[in-house]
DNA sequence: ACACAAGGTAATTAAGTGAGACCACAGACG
DNA sequence: CGTCTGTGGTCTCACTTAATTACCTTGTGT
């Protein structure tokens, strides 16, 4: 075996395969390839929700927490820091009476909204089909 | 406070905000919204890599494992099952001499390639900038 | 009988996540 | 004066989930 397994069923797939980890068929995946790196970051539980919130404009710490009520302060702090470290959001401290902190998307952070929106659109469109598939799968168990 | 924080800085953001969890500003996020549901699934360590592999055509279990060498059999089995449960991939058993199993994308699974490719393209384009930002952030610690 | 491979499961361990106490600072209240 | 509130966090601990290592089952060629 090993020959003729990976038959391309549509030309559009070629581009996708090339984009994924830019590897040759049969070659191992680079563990530090951009795809894995990025998906590890935005694939967590909160990053996309925070990015989606900040897409609506700058928010203060407590404002983000109000927008996403079921996030704990610990996770909010950590996720914000991770996003800041990756250059997707910027943190600005204002020396007001009680010091307030504002978070906003950087230009780089803005650029991720497009692919993210594309994924969100797919999620909304496909959610019903996915739930059906789950139901059918669970009944056949 | 609470007023005027979420100032929209560009019209494109509106659509994004609407897509995210289809919530009103100030309203809490639905914990079961499609976005969270989908991102929980494809946001894990291996799903996207498997989808990217199967984008190149049907693969047998061991072929997927060869394509992604650093995945354990346990995770490969589980991720394949989860993707099958969600209707993104189909599992077909062939009663050959040693019974072989083939995994392939379903029509629904094919439709996720487009948004996913969009994200992968962003990852490749932005990886350098992200690594720079990380370096700068870590030096300023 | 023996090694070997495909496909999968069981048990163990590492990582992610959450709840809540605590801190520093300033101002308002009593 | 001493306490209370609000902001933007940090810290520790317990818990839930993800992920790795190690084993099992079935068939097959030698």
């Amino acid at each position: 075996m090993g020959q003729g397994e990976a038959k391309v069923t549509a030309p559009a797939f070629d581009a996708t395969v090339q984009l994924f980890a830019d590897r040759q068929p049969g070659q191992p995946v680079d563990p530090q390839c951009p795809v894995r790196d990025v998906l590890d970051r935005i694939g967590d539980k909160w990053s996309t929700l925070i990015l989606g919130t900040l897409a609506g404009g700058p928010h203060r710490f407590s404002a983000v927490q109000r927008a996403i009520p079921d996030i704990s302060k610990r996770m909010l702090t950590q996720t914000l820091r991770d996003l800041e470290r990756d250059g997707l959001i910027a943190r600005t401290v204002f020396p007001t009476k009680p010091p307030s902190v504002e978070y906003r998307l950087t230009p780089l952070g803005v650029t991720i909204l497009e692919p993210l929106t594309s994924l969100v659109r797919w999620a909304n469109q496909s959610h019903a089909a996915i739930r059906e598939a789950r139901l059918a799968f669970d009944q056949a168990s």
Side-chain angles (χ1 to χ4, degrees), chain A residues 59-67 76 101 103:
Chain A
H59 281 64
R60 289 175 53 182
F61 184 89
S62 48
V64 178
Q65 199 168 21
R66 273 191 298 275
L76 181 54
V101 179
Y103 293 93

Side-chain angles (χ1 to χ4, degrees), chain A residues 24-53:
Chain A
Q24 276 73 30
Q27 286 288 79
V29 197
D30 180 10
Q32 284 200 328
C33 75
V35 189
R36 303 179 80 159
D37 201 359
V38 168
L39 284 176
D40 275 1
R41 170 71 56 231
I42 68 135
D44 69 355
K45 199 172 180 183
W46 305 111
S47 289
T48 52
L49 290 175
I50 291 178
L51 289 174
T53 300

Side-chain angles (χ1 to χ4, degrees), chain A residues 47 59 75-78 81 116 133 139:
Chain A
S47 289
H59 281 64
M75 277 297 112
L76 181 54
T77 301
Q78 185 179 307
R81 264 225 210 301
L116 219 52
Q139 281 180 338

